Amino acid sequence: MGLISSLCIFVLVAHFATPVVCHKRSHQAALFVFGDSIFDPGNNNYINTIASFQANYLPYGESFFKYPTGRTSNGRLIPDFIAEYANLPLIPPYFQIGKKHFIHGVNFASASSGCLAETARGFVIDLQTQLKYFKNVAKLLKKKVGRRKSKQILSNAIYIFSTANNDIFASLSANSTFPYSDREYQHMIMGNLTSVWKGIYKEGGRKFVMLNLGPLGCLPSVRALNLQIGVTNGSCMEKATNKAKMFNSALPKMIKKLEKQLPGFKYTIFNFFKVFADSIHNPTKYGFKISKTACCGTGPFRGILSCGGKRQVKEYELCNNVKDYLFFDSSHPSEQAYQKYSELLWNGTPDVVAPYNLKSFFELST
């Protein structure tokens, strides 16, 4: 075991600092990140897309970075906090690896992408393309550090995913024209996710982390949509949340199948649904005052995605104190919320992250 290094961080909750939390780890495993806007650190800045799928303008980023990085929040996202807790540098976007070291990992995530190539096709980096980019990195790694060392890095690394949210949204917005039943569509999503995980396994990856889907019907954007279709009490859209629940119940079965097929395959699932729903319904427990309305946006619940004024709708309001809000924009949590979720992912109990929390998963030898 290498030298034990420790990392101490101050955890800010609401308006006051709690005692120092110390994270110890015995060796440094790399972190490879895949998925959508929950994880995208700015990859969409580099592709030919539209402002609706980007966040490279203020007020995004202003609370922590002081400038817009492309992250759809006011500051850091879950992979940024996990890297910090694991004593890693910030994990660079794939399109910046020419300028940055990538032996500690790479972030391939793309806002608005899904498991399926059809989801926002032509505007995002879908999951199969993210896999292709990962294979490029695996080749570069071999050239840089040699075959033996690169094999060791890839097998000890953590591969973390947040995906399928936008596939579900695509099925909701397609309304009557949608050609698949819920079951068929879920089967397609799972099929693509499985094939990407197998692709990473083939390159040497062994440790996989998946966030299940949050209560999608409770996002400010979906509450606003619900209002539009005549549900006047401001409630969550049950249809959207039920689709997320259906995906979440199929996910462990799919992963268990992979575990049987692939020797040495290890996984953990973060119950994002549970902690996200809990923070929406009990915001004060997490240090927030407002959990139905976003800090930045316009319309009911600030649910129209206009934050920054660069998308289709130009008018937007910005709250005075972002620390009061669970949501930064109409679809994405604030940095403070992401920090809370990251702490639970890193150090949480089996009811929220199982069979391993990330602290123990990082330390697990392959």
Side-chain angles (χ1 to χ4, degrees):
M1 303 290 269
L3 285 172
I4 291 185
S5 58
S6 65
L7 165 70
C8 297
I9 57 150
F10 283 99
V11 179
L12 289 175
V13 180
H15 302 287
F16 54 92
T18 60
V20 172
V21 180
C22 287
H23 299 293
K24 284 192 173 180
R25 41 179 284 92
S26 51
H27 62 275
Q28 225 173 22
L31 180 62
F32 291 98
V33 183
F34 299 81
D36 50 32
S37 56
I38 291 175
F39 286 176
D40 181 359
N43 280 311
N44 279 14
N45 299 352
Y46 297 90
I47 62 173
N48 186 15
T49 187
I50 54 174
S52 297
F53 300 145
Q54 292 175 313
N56 53 349
Y57 38 84
L58 289 170
Y60 290 107
E62 70 176 11
S63 300
F64 181 77
F65 298 99
K66 309 301 177 199
Y67 64 92
T69 61
R71 290 166 172 82
T72 42
S73 190
N74 56 309
R76 291 161 291 180
L77 308 179
I78 288 171
D80 302 318
F81 287 110
I82 296 304
E84 189 183 321
Y85 302 161
N87 204 15
L88 294 167
L90 274 184
I91 305 301
Y94 172 70
F95 291 108
Q96 281 183 14
I97 61 172
K99 290 181 273 183
K100 309 259 170 100
H101 291 301
F102 54 87
I103 57 168
H104 299 297
V106 177
N107 189 325
F108 304 93
S110 170
S112 297
S113 71
C115 286
L116 303 174
E118 293 80 1
T119 300
R121 188 196 283 278
F123 294 100
V124 298
I125 308 156
D126 68 89
L127 206 59
Q128 288 286 356
T129 307
Q130 291 179 37
L131 171 63
K132 192 176 95 182
Y133 291 165
F134 168 70
K135 288 177 177 176
N136 292 348
V137 167
K139 272 189 201 139
L140 290 171
L141 203 54
K142 209 175 283 181
K143 272 186 194 160
K144 192 178 174 74
V145 299
R147 192 188 175 95
R148 190 161 157 262
K149 178 77 173 150
S150 72
K151 191 181 174 193
Q152 191 187 356
I153 290 169
L154 294 173
S155 90
N156 277 326
I158 302 282
Y159 300 85
I160 188 167
F161 284 74
S162 161
T163 188
N165 293 288
N166 295 303
D167 301 307
I168 303 294
F169 287 133
S171 73
L172 282 168
S173 56
N175 55 49
S176 58
T177 62
F178 200 63
Y180 308 106
S181 72
D182 281 353
R183 197 162 293 284
E184 285 170 332
Y185 193 57
Q186 184 182 282
H187 194 68
M188 287 161 61
I189 295 169
M190 287 296 179
N192 254 25
L193 186 56
T194 302
S195 105
V196 168
W197 282 27
K198 282 180 171 173
I200 292 169
Y201 179 89
K202 200 173 171 186
E203 294 292 327
R206 292 296 179 268
K207 300 195 287 189
F208 294 79
V209 182
M210 181 75 185
L211 272 61
N212 71 9
L213 301 185
L216 299 179
C218 297
L219 304 182
S221 56
V222 185
R223 283 187 202 266
L225 187 64
N226 221 16
L227 204 59
Q228 244 179 9
I229 58 175
V231 182
T232 54
N233 63 355
S235 63
C236 303
M237 187 190 278
E238 276 185 35
K239 185 182 172 186
T241 298
N242 286 342
K243 282 177 185 269
K245 283 180 176 171
M246 189 176 161
F247 175 89
N248 291 349
S249 67
L251 182 66
K253 295 168 195 162
M254 177 279 268
I255 294 177
K256 285 259 175 10
K257 260 189 202 164
L258 279 182
E259 191 183 29
K260 283 189 180 131
Q261 292 168 10
L262 308 173
F265 173 91
K266 302 267 193 301
Y267 74 91
T268 200
I269 298 173
F270 181 47
N271 194 343
F272 193 44
F273 188 98
K274 181 176 180 168
V275 297
F276 202 173
D278 191 32
S279 61
I280 289 167
H281 301 309
N282 305 294
T284 52
K285 182 176 155 186
Y286 292 78
F288 302 106
K289 292 179 183 172
I290 299 153
S291 62
K292 284 187 178 180
T293 297
C295 167
C296 187
T298 194
F301 311 106
R302 296 200 182 114
I304 294 168
L305 190 62
S306 64
C307 187
K310 303 276 188 191
R311 301 182 177 107
Q312 281 170 311
V313 177
K314 304 302 174 201
E315 306 78 45
Y316 73 97
E317 301 143 25
L318 185 63
C319 66
N320 291 326
N321 190 357
V322 67
K323 288 182 179 173
D324 290 343
Y325 287 77
L326 177 69
F327 287 97
F328 180 64
D329 75 5
S330 60
S331 300
H332 303 98
S334 65
E335 179 185 66
Q336 290 79 1
Y338 280 134
Q339 184 168 16
K340 290 285 183 196
Y341 304 149
S342 301
E343 285 165 14
L344 290 165
L345 174 56
W346 179 255
N347 226 350
T349 47
D351 59 318
V352 294
V353 57
Y356 307 91
N357 62 29
L358 243 60
K359 184 175 187 289
S360 58
F361 209 37
F362 262 92
E363 287 166 358
L364 187 73
S365 298
T366 50

